[in-house]
Coordinates of all heavy atoms in Angstrom, one line a residue:
M9 N -5.4 19.6 15.3 CA -6.6 18.7 15.4 C -7.0 18.2 14.1 O -7.2 18.9 13.1 CB -7.7 19.4 16.1 CG -8.9 18.6 16.4 SD -8.6 17.5 17.7 CE -10.2 17.0 18.0
V10 N -7.2 16.9 14.0 CA -7.6 16.2 12.7 C -9.1 16.2 12.7 O -9.7 15.7 13.6 CB -7.0 14.8 12.6 CG1 -7.5 14.1 11.4 CG2 -5.5 14.8 12.6
S11 N -9.7 16.7 11.6 CA -11.2 16.7 11.6 C -11.6 15.3 11.0 O -10.8 14.6 10.4 CB -11.7 17.8 10.6 OG -11.4 17.4 9.2
S12 N -12.8 14.9 11.3 CA -13.2 13.6 10.8 C -13.2 13.5 9.3 O -12.9 12.5 8.7 CB -14.6 13.3 11.3 OG -15.5 14.2 11.0
V13 N -13.6 14.6 8.6 CA -13.6 14.7 7.1 C -12.1 14.4 6.6 O -11.9 13.6 5.7 CB -14.1 16.0 6.6 CG1 -13.9 16.1 5.1 CG2 -15.6 16.1 7.0
T14 N -11.2 15.1 7.2 CA -9.8 15.0 6.8 C -9.3 13.5 7.0 O -8.6 12.9 6.2 CB -8.9 16.0 7.5 OG1 -9.3 17.3 7.3 CG2 -7.4 15.8 7.1
F15 N -9.6 13.0 8.2 CA -9.2 11.7 8.5 C -9.7 10.6 7.6 O -9.0 9.9 7.0 CB -9.7 11.4 9.9 CG -9.3 10.0 10.4 CD1 -8.1 9.7 10.9 CD2 -10.3 9.0 10.4 CE1 -7.7 8.4 11.4 CE2 -10.0 7.7 10.9 CZ -8.7 7.4 11.4
F16 N -11.0 10.6 7.3 CA -11.6 9.6 6.5 C -11.3 9.9 5.0 O -11.1 8.9 4.2 CB -13.1 9.5 6.7 CG -13.5 8.9 8.0 CD1 -14.1 9.7 9.0 CD2 -13.2 7.6 8.3 CE1 -14.4 9.1 10.2 CE2 -13.5 7.0 9.5 CZ -14.1 7.8 10.5
K17 N -11.1 11.1 4.6 CA -10.7 11.4 3.2 C -9.3 10.8 3.0 O -9.0 10.2 1.9 CB -10.8 12.9 2.9 CG -10.6 13.2 1.5 CD -10.8 14.7 1.3 CE -10.6 15.0 -0.2 NZ -10.8 16.5 -0.5
A18 N -8.4 11.0 3.9 CA -7.0 10.5 3.8 C -7.0 9.0 3.7 O -6.2 8.4 2.9 CB -6.2 11.0 4.9
L19 N -7.9 8.3 4.4 CA -7.9 6.9 4.5 C -8.8 6.3 3.4 O -8.8 5.0 3.2 CB -8.3 6.3 5.8 CG -7.4 6.7 7.0 CD1 -7.9 6.1 8.3 CD2 -6.0 6.2 6.7
S20 N -9.4 7.1 2.6 CA -10.3 6.6 1.5 C -9.6 6.0 0.4 O -10.1 5.2 -0.4 CB -11.3 7.7 1.0 OG -10.5 8.7 0.3
D21 N -8.3 6.3 0.2 CA -7.5 5.7 -0.8 C -6.9 4.4 -0.4 O -6.4 4.3 0.7 CB -6.3 6.7 -1.2 CG -5.5 6.1 -2.3 OD1 -5.8 6.4 -3.5 OD2 -4.5 5.4 -2.0
P22 N -7.1 3.3 -1.2 CA -6.6 2.0 -0.8 C -5.1 1.9 -0.4 O -4.7 1.3 0.5 CB -6.9 1.1 -1.9 CG -8.0 1.8 -2.7 CD -7.7 3.3 -2.5
T23 N -4.3 2.6 -1.2 CA -2.8 2.6 -0.9 C -2.5 3.3 0.4 O -1.8 2.8 1.2 CB -2.1 3.3 -2.0 OG1 -2.3 2.6 -3.2 CG2 -0.6 3.3 -1.8
R24 N -3.2 4.4 0.7 CA -3.0 5.1 2.0 C -3.5 4.3 3.2 O -2.8 4.3 4.2 CB -3.6 6.5 1.9 CG -2.9 7.5 1.0 CD -3.3 8.9 1.2 NE -4.6 9.2 0.8 CZ -5.0 9.6 -0.4 NH1 -4.1 9.8 -1.3 NH2 -6.3 9.9 -0.6
L25 N -4.6 3.6 3.0 CA -5.1 2.7 4.0 C -4.1 1.6 4.3 O -3.8 1.3 5.4 CB -6.4 2.2 3.6 CG -7.1 1.2 4.6 CD1 -7.3 1.9 5.9 CD2 -8.4 0.7 4.1
K26 N -3.6 1.0 3.3 CA -2.6 -0.1 3.4 C -1.3 0.5 4.1 O -0.7 -0.2 4.9 CB -2.2 -0.7 2.1 CG -3.3 -1.5 1.5 CD -2.9 -2.0 0.1 CE -4.1 -2.7 -0.6 NZ -3.8 -3.1 -1.9
L27 N -0.9 1.7 3.8 CA 0.3 2.3 4.4 C 0.0 2.4 5.9 O 0.9 2.1 6.8 CB 0.6 3.7 3.8 CG 1.3 3.6 2.4 CD1 1.2 5.0 1.8 CD2 2.7 3.1 2.6
M28 N -1.1 2.9 6.3 CA -1.5 3.1 7.7 C -1.5 1.8 8.4 O -1.0 1.6 9.6 CB -2.8 3.8 7.9 CG -2.7 5.3 7.5 SD -1.6 6.3 8.4 CE -2.4 6.4 10.0
L29 N -2.0 0.8 7.8 CA -2.1 -0.6 8.4 C -0.7 -1.1 8.6 O -0.4 -1.8 9.6 CB -3.0 -1.5 7.6 CG -4.5 -1.1 7.6 CD1 -5.2 -2.1 6.6 CD2 -5.1 -1.2 9.0
Q30 N 0.2 -0.9 7.7 CA 1.5 -1.3 7.8 C 2.3 -0.6 8.9 O 3.0 -1.2 9.7 CB 2.3 -1.2 6.4 CG 3.6 -1.8 6.4 CD 3.6 -3.3 6.6 OE1 2.7 -4.0 6.2 NE2 4.6 -3.9 7.2
L31 N 2.0 0.7 8.9 CA 2.7 1.5 10.0 C 2.3 1.2 11.4 O 3.0 1.3 12.3 CB 2.5 3.0 9.7 CG 3.2 3.6 8.6 CD1 2.7 5.0 8.2 CD2 4.7 3.6 8.9
R32 N 1.0 0.7 11.5 CA 0.6 0.4 12.9 C 1.3 -0.9 13.4 O 1.3 -1.1 14.6 CB -0.9 0.2 12.9 CG -1.4 -1.1 12.4 CD -2.9 -1.3 12.5 NE -3.2 -2.6 12.0 CZ -4.5 -3.0 11.8 NH1 -5.5 -2.2 12.1 NH2 -4.7 -4.2 11.4
E33 N 1.8 -1.7 12.5 CA 2.6 -2.9 13.0 C 4.0 -2.6 13.4 O 4.6 -3.5 14.1 CB 2.6 -3.9 11.8 CG 1.2 -4.3 11.3 CD 0.3 -4.9 12.3 OE1 0.8 -5.7 13.1 OE2 -0.9 -4.6 12.3
Q34 N 4.5 -1.4 13.1 CA 5.9 -1.1 13.5 C 5.9 0.3 14.1 O 5.0 1.1 13.9 CB 6.8 -1.0 12.2 CG 6.7 -2.2 11.3 CD 7.5 -3.4 12.0 OE1 8.5 -3.2 12.6 NE2 7.0 -4.6 11.7
D35 N 6.9 0.5 14.9 CA 7.1 1.9 15.5 C 7.3 2.9 14.4 O 6.8 4.0 14.4 CB 8.2 1.9 16.5 CG 7.8 1.2 17.8 OD1 6.6 1.0 18.1 OD2 8.8 0.7 18.5
M36 N 8.2 2.6 13.5 CA 8.6 3.5 12.4 C 9.1 2.7 11.3 O 9.8 1.7 11.5 CB 9.7 4.5 13.0 CG 10.0 5.6 12.2 SD 11.0 6.8 13.1 CE 9.8 8.1 13.2
L37 N 8.8 3.1 10.1 CA 9.2 2.4 8.9 C 9.8 3.4 7.8 O 9.3 4.5 7.7 CB 8.0 1.7 8.2 CG 7.6 0.4 8.9 CD1 6.3 -0.1 8.2 CD2 8.7 -0.7 8.8
C38 N 10.8 2.9 7.2 CA 11.5 3.6 6.1 C 10.6 3.5 4.8 O 10.0 2.5 4.6 CB 12.9 3.0 5.9 SG 13.7 3.7 4.5
V39 N 10.7 4.5 4.0 CA 10.0 4.5 2.7 C 10.4 3.2 1.9 O 9.6 2.6 1.3 CB 10.3 5.7 1.9 CG1 9.8 5.6 0.5 CG2 9.7 7.0 2.5
C40 N 11.7 2.8 2.0 CA 12.2 1.7 1.3 C 11.4 0.4 1.7 O 11.1 -0.5 0.9 CB 13.7 1.5 1.4 SG 14.2 1.3 3.1
H41 N 11.1 0.3 3.0 CA 10.4 -0.9 3.5 C 8.9 -0.9 3.0 O 8.3 -1.9 2.7 CB 10.4 -1.0 5.0 CG 11.8 -1.2 5.6 ND1 12.4 -0.3 6.4 CD2 12.7 -2.2 5.3 CE1 13.6 -0.8 6.7 NE2 13.8 -1.9 6.1
L42 N 8.3 0.3 3.0 CA 7.0 0.4 2.5 C 6.8 0.2 1.0 O 5.9 -0.5 0.6 CB 6.4 1.8 2.9 CG 6.3 2.1 4.4 CD1 6.1 3.6 4.7 CD2 5.1 1.3 5.0
T43 N 7.8 0.6 0.2 CA 7.7 0.3 -1.2 C 7.8 -1.2 -1.5 O 7.1 -1.7 -2.3 CB 8.8 1.1 -2.0 OG1 10.1 0.7 -1.5 CG2 8.6 2.6 -1.9
E44 N 8.7 -1.8 -0.7 CA 8.9 -3.3 -0.8 C 7.6 -4.0 -0.5 O 7.1 -4.9 -1.2 CB 10.0 -3.7 0.0 CG 10.4 -5.2 -0.1 CD 11.5 -5.5 0.8 OE1 12.6 -4.9 0.7 OE2 11.4 -6.5 1.6
H45 N 7.0 -3.6 0.7 CA 5.8 -4.3 1.2 C 4.6 -4.1 0.2 O 3.9 -5.0 0.0 CB 5.4 -3.8 2.6 CG 4.2 -4.5 3.1 ND1 4.2 -5.8 3.5 CD2 2.9 -4.0 3.2 CE1 2.9 -6.1 3.9 NE2 2.2 -5.0 3.7
L46 N 4.4 -2.9 -0.2 CA 3.2 -2.6 -1.1 C 3.5 -2.9 -2.5 O 2.6 -2.8 -3.4 CB 2.8 -1.2 -0.9 CG 1.8 -1.0 0.3 CD1 2.5 -1.0 1.6 CD2 1.0 0.3 0.1
Q47 N 4.8 -3.1 -2.9 CA 5.2 -3.4 -4.3 C 4.7 -2.3 -5.2 O 4.1 -2.6 -6.3 CB 4.7 -4.8 -4.7 CG 5.3 -5.9 -3.9 CD 4.8 -7.3 -4.4 OE1 3.9 -7.4 -5.1 NE2 5.6 -8.3 -3.9
Q48 N 5.0 -1.1 -4.8 CA 4.8 0.1 -5.6 C 6.0 0.9 -5.7 O 6.8 0.9 -4.8 CB 3.6 0.9 -5.1 CG 2.3 0.1 -5.1 CD 1.1 1.0 -4.8 OE1 1.2 2.2 -5.0 NE2 0.0 0.5 -4.3
P49 N 6.2 1.7 -6.7 CA 7.4 2.6 -6.9 C 7.5 3.6 -5.8 O 6.5 4.1 -5.2 CB 7.2 3.3 -8.2 CG 5.9 2.8 -8.8 CD 5.2 1.9 -7.9
Q50 N 8.7 4.0 -5.4 CA 9.0 4.9 -4.4 C 8.3 6.2 -4.6 O 7.7 6.8 -3.6 CB 10.5 5.1 -4.2 CG 10.9 6.0 -3.1 CD 11.0 7.4 -3.6 OE1 11.4 7.7 -4.7 NE2 10.7 8.4 -2.7
P51 N 8.2 6.8 -5.8 CA 7.5 8.1 -5.9 C 6.1 8.0 -5.6 O 5.5 8.9 -5.0 CB 7.7 8.5 -7.4 CG 9.0 7.8 -7.8 CD 9.0 6.5 -7.0
T52 N 5.4 6.9 -5.9 CA 4.0 6.7 -5.6 C 3.8 6.6 -4.1 O 2.9 7.3 -3.5 CB 3.5 5.4 -6.2 OG1 3.7 5.5 -7.6 CG2 2.0 5.2 -5.9
I53 N 4.6 5.8 -3.4 CA 4.5 5.7 -1.9 C 4.8 7.0 -1.3 O 4.1 7.5 -0.3 CB 5.5 4.6 -1.4 CG1 5.1 3.2 -2.0 CG2 5.5 4.6 0.1 CD1 3.7 2.8 -1.6
S54 N 5.8 7.7 -1.7 CA 6.2 9.0 -1.1 C 5.0 10.0 -1.3 O 4.8 10.8 -0.4 CB 7.4 9.6 -1.8 OG 8.6 8.8 -1.4
R55 N 4.4 10.0 -2.4 CA 3.3 10.9 -2.7 C 2.1 10.6 -1.7 O 1.5 11.6 -1.1 CB 2.8 10.8 -4.1 CG 1.6 11.8 -4.5 CD 1.3 11.7 -5.9 NE 1.3 10.4 -6.5 CZ 0.2 9.6 -6.5 NH1 -0.9 10.0 -6.0 NH2 0.3 8.4 -7.1
H56 N 1.8 9.4 -1.5 CA 0.7 9.0 -0.6 C 1.1 9.3 0.9 O 0.3 9.8 1.7 CB 0.4 7.5 -0.7 CG -0.4 7.2 -1.9 ND1 -1.7 7.7 -2.1 CD2 -0.1 6.5 -3.0 CE1 -2.2 7.2 -3.2 NE2 -1.2 6.5 -3.8
L57 N 2.4 9.1 1.3 CA 2.9 9.5 2.6 C 2.8 11.0 2.8 O 2.5 11.4 3.9 CB 4.3 8.9 2.8 CG 4.4 7.4 3.0 CD1 5.8 7.0 2.9 CD2 3.8 7.0 4.4
S58 N 3.1 11.7 1.8 CA 3.0 13.2 1.9 C 1.6 13.6 2.1 O 1.3 14.5 2.9 CB 3.5 13.8 0.6 OG 3.4 15.2 0.6
H59 N 0.7 13.0 1.5 CA -0.8 13.3 1.7 C -1.1 13.0 3.2 O -1.8 13.7 3.8 CB -1.6 12.5 0.7 CG -3.0 12.9 0.8 ND1 -3.6 13.9 0.0 CD2 -4.1 12.4 1.5 CE1 -4.9 14.0 0.2 NE2 -5.2 13.1 1.1
L60 N -0.7 11.8 3.7 CA -1.0 11.4 5.1 C -0.3 12.4 6.1 O -0.9 12.7 7.1 CB -0.5 10.0 5.3 CG -1.3 8.9 4.6 CD1 -0.6 7.6 4.8 CD2 -2.7 8.8 5.2
K61 N 0.8 12.8 5.7 CA 1.5 13.8 6.6 C 0.8 15.1 6.6 O 0.6 15.7 7.7 CB 3.0 14.0 6.1 CG 3.8 14.9 7.0 CD 5.2 15.1 6.5 CE 5.9 16.2 7.4 NZ 7.1 16.6 6.8
K62 N 0.4 15.6 5.4 CA -0.3 16.8 5.3 C -1.7 16.8 6.1 O -2.1 17.7 6.7 CB -0.6 17.2 3.9 CG -1.3 18.5 3.6 CD -1.5 18.8 2.2 CE -2.2 20.1 1.9 NZ -2.5 20.3 0.5
A63 N -2.3 15.6 6.1 CA -3.5 15.4 6.9 C -3.3 15.3 8.4 O -4.2 15.3 9.1 CB -4.3 14.2 6.3
G64 N -2.0 15.1 8.8 CA -1.7 15.0 10.2 C -1.7 13.6 10.7 O -1.7 13.4 11.9
L65 N -1.8 12.6 9.9 CA -2.0 11.2 10.3 C -0.6 10.6 10.6 O -0.5 9.6 11.4 CB -2.7 10.4 9.3 CG -4.2 10.4 9.5 CD1 -4.8 11.8 9.3 CD2 -4.9 9.4 8.5
V66 N 0.5 11.1 9.9 CA 1.8 10.5 10.2 C 2.8 11.6 10.5 O 2.6 12.7 10.1 CB 2.3 9.6 9.0 CG1 1.4 8.4 8.7 CG2 2.4 10.4 7.7
T67 N 3.9 11.2 11.1 CA 5.0 12.1 11.3 C 6.2 11.4 10.5 O 6.2 10.2 10.2 CB 5.4 12.2 12.7 OG1 5.7 10.9 13.3 CG2 4.2 12.8 13.5
C68 N 7.2 12.2 10.3 CA 8.4 11.7 9.6 C 9.7 12.3 10.1 O 9.7 13.4 10.7 CB 8.3 11.8 8.1 SG 8.4 13.5 7.5
E69 N 10.8 11.6 9.9 CA 12.1 12.1 10.2 C 13.1 11.6 9.2 O 13.0 10.5 8.8 CB 12.5 11.8 11.7 CG 12.9 10.4 11.9 CD 13.3 10.1 13.3 OE1 12.6 10.5 14.3 OE2 14.4 9.6 13.5
R70 N 14.1 12.4 8.9 CA 15.1 12.0 8.0 C 16.2 11.3 8.7 O 16.7 11.7 9.8 CB 15.7 13.2 7.2 CG 16.8 12.7 6.2 CD 17.2 13.9 5.3 NE 16.1 14.3 4.5 CZ 15.7 13.7 3.3 NH1 16.3 12.6 3.0 NH2 14.8 14.2 2.6
R71 N 16.6 10.1 8.2 CA 17.7 9.3 8.8 C 18.6 9.0 7.6 O 18.4 8.1 6.8 CB 17.3 8.0 9.4 CG 16.5 8.2 10.7 CD 16.1 6.9 11.3 NE 15.2 7.0 12.4 CZ 14.7 6.0 13.1 NH1 15.0 4.8 12.7 NH2 13.9 6.2 14.1
G72 N 19.7 9.8 7.5 CA 20.6 9.6 6.3 C 19.9 10.0 5.0 O 19.3 11.1 4.9
T73 N 19.8 9.1 4.1 CA 19.1 9.4 2.8 C 17.6 9.1 2.8 O 16.9 9.7 2.0 CB 19.7 8.4 1.7 OG1 21.0 8.0 2.0 CG2 19.7 9.0 0.4
W74 N 17.2 8.4 3.8 CA 15.8 7.9 3.8 C 14.9 8.7 4.8 O 15.4 9.1 5.8 CB 15.7 6.4 4.1 CG 16.3 5.6 3.0 CD1 17.5 5.0 3.0 CD2 15.7 5.3 1.7 NE1 17.7 4.3 1.8 CE2 16.6 4.5 1.1 CE3 14.5 5.6 1.2 CZ2 16.4 4.0 -0.2 CZ3 14.2 5.1 -0.1 CH2 15.1 4.3 -0.8
M75 N 13.6 8.8 4.4 CA 12.6 9.3 5.4 C 12.0 8.1 6.1 O 11.6 7.1 5.4 CB 11.6 10.1 4.6 CG 12.1 11.4 4.0 SD 12.8 12.6 5.2 CE 11.3 13.2 5.9
W76 N 11.8 8.3 7.4 CA 11.1 7.3 8.2 C 9.8 7.8 8.7 O 9.7 9.0 9.1 CB 12.0 6.9 9.4 CG 13.2 6.1 8.9 CD1 14.3 6.5 8.2 CD2 13.4 4.7 9.1 NE1 15.2 5.5 8.0 CE2 14.7 4.4 8.6 CE3 12.7 3.7 9.8 CZ2 15.2 3.1 8.6 CZ3 13.2 2.4 9.8 CH2 14.4 2.1 9.2
Y77 N 8.8 7.0 8.6 CA 7.4 7.5 9.0 C 6.8 6.6 10.1 O 7.2 5.4 10.3 CB 6.5 7.3 7.7 CG 6.8 8.3 6.7 CD1 7.8 8.1 5.7 CD2 6.1 9.5 6.6 CE1 8.1 9.0 4.8 CE2 6.4 10.5 5.6 CZ 7.4 10.2 4.7 OH 7.7 11.1 3.8
A78 N 6.0 7.3 10.8 CA 5.3 6.7 12.0 C 3.9 7.3 12.1 O 3.6 8.4 11.6 CB 6.0 6.9 13.3
I79 N 3.0 6.5 12.7 CA 1.6 7.1 12.9 C 1.8 8.2 14.0 O 2.6 8.1 14.9 CB 0.7 6.0 13.5 CG1 0.4 5.0 12.3 CG2 -0.6 6.6 14.0 CD1 -0.4 3.8 12.8
N80 N 1.2 9.3 13.7 CA 1.3 10.5 14.6 C 0.8 10.1 16.0 O -0.4 9.8 16.2 CB 0.5 11.6 14.0 CG 0.6 12.9 14.8 OD1 1.2 12.9 15.9 ND2 0.1 14.0 14.2
P81 N 1.6 10.2 17.0 CA 1.2 9.8 18.4 C 0.3 10.9 19.0 O -0.4 10.5 20.0 CB 2.5 9.7 19.1 CG 3.4 10.6 18.4 CD 3.1 10.5 17.0
D82 N 0.2 12.0 18.4 CA -0.7 13.1 18.9 C -2.1 13.0 18.3 O -2.9 14.0 18.5 CB -0.1 14.4 18.7 CG 1.2 14.6 19.5 OD1 1.3 14.0 20.6 OD2 2.1 15.3 19.0
L83 N -2.4 12.0 17.5 CA -3.7 11.9 16.9 C -4.8 11.8 18.0 O -4.5 11.2 19.1 CB -3.9 10.6 16.1 CG -3.3 10.7 14.7 CD1 -3.4 9.3 14.0 CD2 -4.0 11.7 13.8
P84 N -6.0 12.3 17.8 CA -7.0 12.2 18.8 C -7.3 10.7 19.1 O -7.1 9.9 18.2 CB -8.3 12.8 18.2 CG -7.7 13.7 17.1 CD -6.4 13.1 16.7
Q85 N -7.8 10.4 20.3 CA -8.0 9.0 20.7 C -8.9 8.3 19.7 O -8.7 7.1 19.4 CB -8.5 8.9 22.1 CG -8.6 7.5 22.6 CD -7.2 6.8 22.7 OE1 -6.3 7.4 23.1 NE2 -7.1 5.6 22.1
W86 N -10.0 9.0 19.2 CA -10.9 8.3 18.3 C -10.2 7.9 17.0 O -10.5 6.8 16.4 CB -12.2 9.2 18.0 CG -11.9 10.4 17.2 CD1 -11.6 11.7 17.7 CD2 -11.9 10.5 15.8 NE1 -11.5 12.5 16.7 CE2 -11.6 11.9 15.5 CE3 -12.1 9.7 14.8 CZ2 -11.5 12.4 14.2 CZ3 -12.1 10.1 13.5 CH2 -11.8 11.5 13.2
C87 N -9.3 8.7 16.5 CA -8.5 8.3 15.3 C -7.7 7.1 15.6 O -7.6 6.1 14.8 CB -7.6 9.4 14.9 SG -8.4 10.9 14.3
Q88 N -7.0 7.1 16.7 CA -6.1 5.9 17.0 C -7.0 4.7 17.2 O -6.6 3.6 16.8 CB -5.4 6.2 18.3 CG -4.3 7.3 18.1 CD -3.5 7.6 19.4 OE1 -3.2 6.6 20.1 NE2 -3.1 8.8 19.6
D89 N -8.1 4.8 17.8 CA -9.0 3.7 18.0 C -9.4 3.0 16.7 O -9.4 1.8 16.5 CB -10.3 4.0 18.8 CG -10.1 4.4 20.2 OD1 -9.0 4.0 20.8 OD2 -11.0 5.0 20.8
I90 N -9.7 3.9 15.7 CA -10.1 3.3 14.4 C -8.9 2.7 13.7 O -9.0 1.6 13.2 CB -10.7 4.5 13.5 CG1 -12.0 4.9 14.1 CG2 -10.8 4.0 12.0 CD1 -12.6 6.2 13.4
I91 N -7.7 3.3 13.7 CA -6.6 2.8 13.1 C -6.2 1.4 13.7 O -5.9 0.5 13.0 CB -5.4 3.8 13.2 CG1 -5.7 5.0 12.3 CG2 -4.1 3.1 12.7 CD1 -4.8 6.2 12.5
Y92 N -6.2 1.4 15.0 CA -5.7 0.1 15.6 C -6.7 -1.0 15.7 O -6.4 -2.1 16.1 CB -5.1 0.5 17.0 CG -3.8 1.2 16.9 CD1 -3.7 2.6 16.9 CD2 -2.6 0.4 16.6 CE1 -2.4 3.2 16.7 CE2 -1.4 1.1 16.4 CZ -1.3 2.4 16.5 OH -0.1 3.1 16.3
R93 N -8.0 -0.7 15.4 CA -9.0 -1.7 15.4 C -9.4 -2.2 14.0 O -10.2 -3.1 13.9 CB -10.2 -1.2 16.1 CG -10.0 -1.0 17.6 CD -11.2 -0.5 18.3 NE -10.9 -0.2 19.7 CZ -11.7 -0.2 20.7 NH1 -12.9 -0.5 20.5 NH2 -11.3 0.1 21.9
M94 N -8.9 -1.5 13.0 CA -9.2 -1.9 11.6 C -8.6 -3.3 11.3 O -7.5 -3.6 11.7 CB -8.6 -1.0 10.6 CG -9.4 0.3 10.4 SD -8.7 1.3 9.1 CE -7.1 1.8 9.6
P95 N -9.4 -4.2 10.6 CA -8.8 -5.5 10.2 C -7.8 -5.3 9.1 O -7.9 -4.3 8.4 CB -10.1 -6.2 9.7 CG -11.1 -5.2 9.4 CD -10.8 -4.0 10.2
Q96 N -6.9 -6.2 9.0 CA -5.9 -6.2 8.0 C -6.6 -6.5 6.7 O -7.5 -7.3 6.6 CB -4.8 -7.2 8.3 CG -3.6 -7.1 7.5 CD -2.7 -5.9 7.9 OE1 -3.2 -4.9 8.4 NE2 -1.4 -6.0 7.7
I97 N -6.1 -5.8 5.6 CA -6.7 -6.1 4.3 C -5.7 -6.7 3.4 O -4.6 -6.8 3.6 CB -7.3 -4.8 3.6 CG1 -6.2 -3.7 3.6 CG2 -8.5 -4.3 4.4 CD1 -6.6 -2.5 2.8

């Protein structure tokens, strides 16, 4: 269960917020696509994704060399409502 403090703390970083907004547009995205879209180095994106995963907001799976990420489908409904209703930034 994701607490409201954990949820909002994870999304308080602009890069993590942008990652979540990008992930909501696709079922699953590779780190390589996210680095390209956000124009940030792979280690930076991976660190932020690790934070989101630890907070329970995203899930991941390895496909070959790359990790693929998606919004956690088991998030509470209130979390999903916020993520999917946020305006694009």
Side-chain angles (χ1 to χ4, degrees):
M9 181 74 168
V10 177
S11 74
S12 57
V13 171
T14 301
F15 178 80
F16 289 112
K17 188 173 181 181
L19 295 181
S20 68
D21 180 89
T23 300
R24 290 194 292 269
L25 181 58
K26 289 176 187 174
L27 285 167
M28 291 299 289
L29 294 174
Q30 189 63 32
L31 286 170
R32 79 176 180 190
E33 303 300 321
Q34 306 288 325
D35 288 336
M36 194 168 246
L37 284 172
C38 173
V39 171
C40 60
H41 295 121
L42 292 165
T43 57
E44 183 179 309
H45 178 76
L46 273 76
Q47 297 183 344
Q48 293 191 27
Q50 182 270 326
T52 301
I53 296 299
S54 291
R55 181 173 44 88
H56 284 294
L57 287 166
S58 175
H59 189 88
L60 290 169
K61 183 180 174 193
K62 184 177 177 183
L65 274 61
V66 299
T67 60
C68 67
E69 71 177 56
R70 181 171 295 282
R71 294 183 186 172
T73 330
W74 293 100
M75 294 298 286
W76 288 71
Y77 289 84
I79 293 176
N80 185 349
D82 297 327
L83 281 174
Q85 189 61 48
W86 68 267
C87 293
Q88 292 183 36
D89 289 346
I90 291 170
I91 291 167
Y92 287 97
R93 292 178 187 207
M94 283 189 292
Q96 195 71 334
I97 55 173

